[in-house]
Amino acid sequence: MKKRAWFCAAGLILLMGTVTGCQGKYQEVAVTDASAETDTTPAPTKEIKIETTTEAPAEEAVESGDWYTFEERTEQDGKIRSYLTGEMVDAAVGNRRPIAIMMSNDKASLPQYGINRADIVYEAPVEGGMNRYMAIIEDYDDLDRIGSVRSCRTYYTYFAREFDAIYAHYGQSTFAKPYLVNVDNINGLDGIGTVAYYRTKDRKSPHNAYSSGERLNKAIAQLGYSESYSADYKGHYRFAKTGHEVTLDGAPSVMEAARVYPGYVMNKPWFEYNESDGLYYRYQYGAAHKGNEGPIAVKNILFQYCPSGHYATTDYLDINVHDDSYGLYATEGKAIPVKWTKDGEFGLTHYYDMENNEVILNQGKTWICVISAQDSSNVEVYGK
């Protein structure tokens, strides 16, 4: 008999319906190439269960023996530990800044090309009930088609900056444009656009703009961006050491998580755990989610609940990715509630369990679902 857990993290009632503190920080009104699918199916109403905690996250609550430190990131036999996955990769790839490229998720754009190579994917809502992806890829040189590439929203610039990535996008919302100066970016609407992107004839605009590894590298060279990580960059996540894999057994508030639903209305995605390989396979639109290289599967899932609203009378979302909130972490068929906090406007986002231990990710790919706090009651976690 299947079990279902309504998951809602602590204190979300206080976050719902408010976006105080971020309206003056960033705004966006119009998009250059936005298109919306129409799906007005209402999300089901679910009970919200609230737990509360007031403790501040501990800075060093985890024994460093269980996770790789920055100091241990050394080259061995031509390989080095990836900042994105924690796995050993070719040093030339692992020491190079990754690409963070916007991708469409409209049905008309499927499949996404290059998404199977993504080490980290951010999925976040935009206007009209749509979701859009930012795929962070470090090994992209041999890809001849990446995308389709879509436009920027302000919050994605902050996500890209957390990984010292070069941000690739085709256009932007009007008020997101000032924030592009905060991240090295390749804009399809600038002069570099004809170098970095091309259009195909097998899709209709705006779903036919693509890039490639060769084009991205050429654009990076012409724009004069450094290919090396910043000297003060020390990585984002803590990754479990080989032989110290995270199981979440005995973790506070742990639950079985054979299937996990972020609750997005339009594409209705979910993740299913496969015990044979220890990965979560992704589904959406009622079927397996496949990129051009096959089914999409990840090792870690993070749900990040963010207070959100709309800009003035527009349909465009104002998502607050700065103020502390809550979420969920799933790996190895189990999940726990988490808290997250950000190190200032341009700092890293850290995730903590309910006992204030910083989350350790398993080595492998990670998918982050950014979820409006008021929609967190739609999140579902199912046991076996």
Side-chain angles (χ1 to χ4, degrees):
M1 182 177 181
K2 68 181 181 182
K3 298 179 181 178
R4 179 172 62 183
W6 304 127
F7 180 85
C8 187
L12 280 174
I13 283 179
L14 298 177
L15 300 175
M16 293 184 180
T18 64
V19 204
T20 56
C22 67
Q23 290 287 350
K25 185 174 288 187
Y26 48 88
Q27 292 185 338
E28 50 192 80
V29 175
V31 293
T32 306
D33 65 346
S35 64
E37 295 183 44
T38 56
D39 184 340
T40 58
T41 305
T45 302
K46 298 180 178 67
E47 178 184 359
I48 301 176
K49 295 185 177 180
I50 302 296
E51 299 174 2
T52 58
T53 180
T54 57
E55 295 181 51
E59 287 297 320
E60 293 292 341
V62 180
E63 293 294 331
S64 60
D66 295 337
W67 50 276
Y68 289 104
T69 65
F70 172 74
E71 290 75 15
E72 293 175 287
R73 190 179 184 268
T74 56
E75 185 174 335
Q76 300 175 13
D77 300 323
K79 292 186 177 295
I80 200 164
R81 197 163 300 283
S82 167
Y83 279 132
L84 303 185
T85 66
E87 299 170 322
M88 297 299 285
V89 299
D90 289 342
V93 171
N95 283 326
R96 180 182 63 177
R97 296 170 69 192
I99 284 290
I101 189 164
M102 295 300 298
M103 290 190 181
S104 174
N105 193 33
D106 298 49
K107 280 187 177 180
S109 71
L110 301 179
Q112 292 98 1
Y113 285 78
I115 198 168
N116 297 90
R117 294 286 189 90
D119 304 287
I120 296 169
V121 175
Y122 274 82
E123 180 177 17
V126 291
E127 62 285 344
M130 297 183 297
N131 290 356
R132 194 162 289 178
Y133 302 143
M134 186 184 77
I136 307 179
I137 312 171
E138 63 181 358
D139 186 6
Y140 57 85
D141 297 271
D142 63 337
L143 295 176
D144 58 8
R145 185 170 178 174
I146 307 173
S148 66
V149 185
R150 295 303 302 272
S151 61
C152 164
R153 300 294 179 273
T154 305
Y155 34 98
Y156 292 106
T157 68
Y158 289 103
F159 300 148
R161 179 153 173 158
E162 290 194 38
F163 296 88
D164 198 19
I166 298 172
Y167 181 50
H169 58 103
Y170 207 106
Q172 65 283 320
S173 57
T174 300
F175 286 90
K177 191 169 184 177
Y179 297 88
L180 289 169
V181 301
N182 298 322
V183 61
D184 289 344
N185 72 96
I186 306 172
N187 190 346
L189 295 183
D190 290 345
I192 199 67
T194 56
V195 175
Y197 305 102
Y198 66 95
R199 291 195 180 271
T200 64
K201 295 182 180 180
D202 61 346
R203 298 285 189 278
K204 293 182 178 181
S205 180
H207 306 300
N208 63 346
Y210 294 88
S211 189
S212 68
E214 181 180 2
R215 284 175 173 268
L216 288 169
N217 285 327
K218 188 175 181 179
I220 291 168
Q222 288 194 18
L223 290 167
Y225 294 150
S226 172
E227 296 184 12
S228 300
Y229 281 102
S230 171
D232 59 357
Y233 187 72
K234 293 180 171 58
H236 194 301
Y237 300 128
R238 291 177 170 178
F239 287 103
K241 287 186 175 181
T242 303
H244 293 262
E245 287 75 11
V246 175
T247 65
L248 298 181
D249 290 334
S253 305
V254 66
M255 65 192 85
E256 294 292 328
R259 285 183 293 150
V260 183
Y261 293 74
Y264 297 130
V265 174
M266 183 172 287
N267 59 331
K268 298 179 175 61
W270 73 94
F271 299 85
E272 288 192 12
Y273 181 63
N274 186 329
E275 291 186 3
S276 65
D277 60 10
L279 300 177
Y280 277 96
Y281 284 77
R282 183 178 162 83
Y283 295 77
Q284 65 170 3
Y285 295 118
H289 186 179
K290 296 181 179 181
N292 68 298
E293 295 180 339
I296 295 171
V298 298
K299 188 67 176 179
N300 308 291
I301 301 169
L302 285 166
F303 287 179
Q304 184 171 336
Y305 305 152
C306 300
S308 68
H310 293 88
Y311 294 107
T313 59
T314 73
D315 198 25
Y316 303 112
L317 292 175
D318 180 6
I319 299 179
N320 183 341
V321 299
H322 297 87
D323 295 339
D324 299 0
S325 188
Y326 301 87
L328 173 146
Y329 171 45
T331 192
E332 292 292 334
K334 292 183 172 61
I336 58 170
V338 297
K339 301 173 280 189
W340 64 266
T341 187
K342 199 173 189 302
D343 293 336
E345 183 175 10
F346 298 119
L348 302 181
T349 299
H350 299 277
Y351 303 87
Y352 299 87
D353 67 19
M354 292 297 108
E355 292 183 344
N356 303 315
N357 303 305
E358 186 160 2
V359 165
I360 300 175
L361 301 185
N362 278 313
Q363 295 178 35
K365 298 180 178 183
T366 300
W367 193 290
I368 300 102
C369 290
V370 175
I371 301 168
S372 294
Q374 57 264 43
D375 296 329
S376 64
S377 59
N378 295 331
V379 169
E380 298 176 10
V381 177
Y382 289 80
K384 297 179 181 178

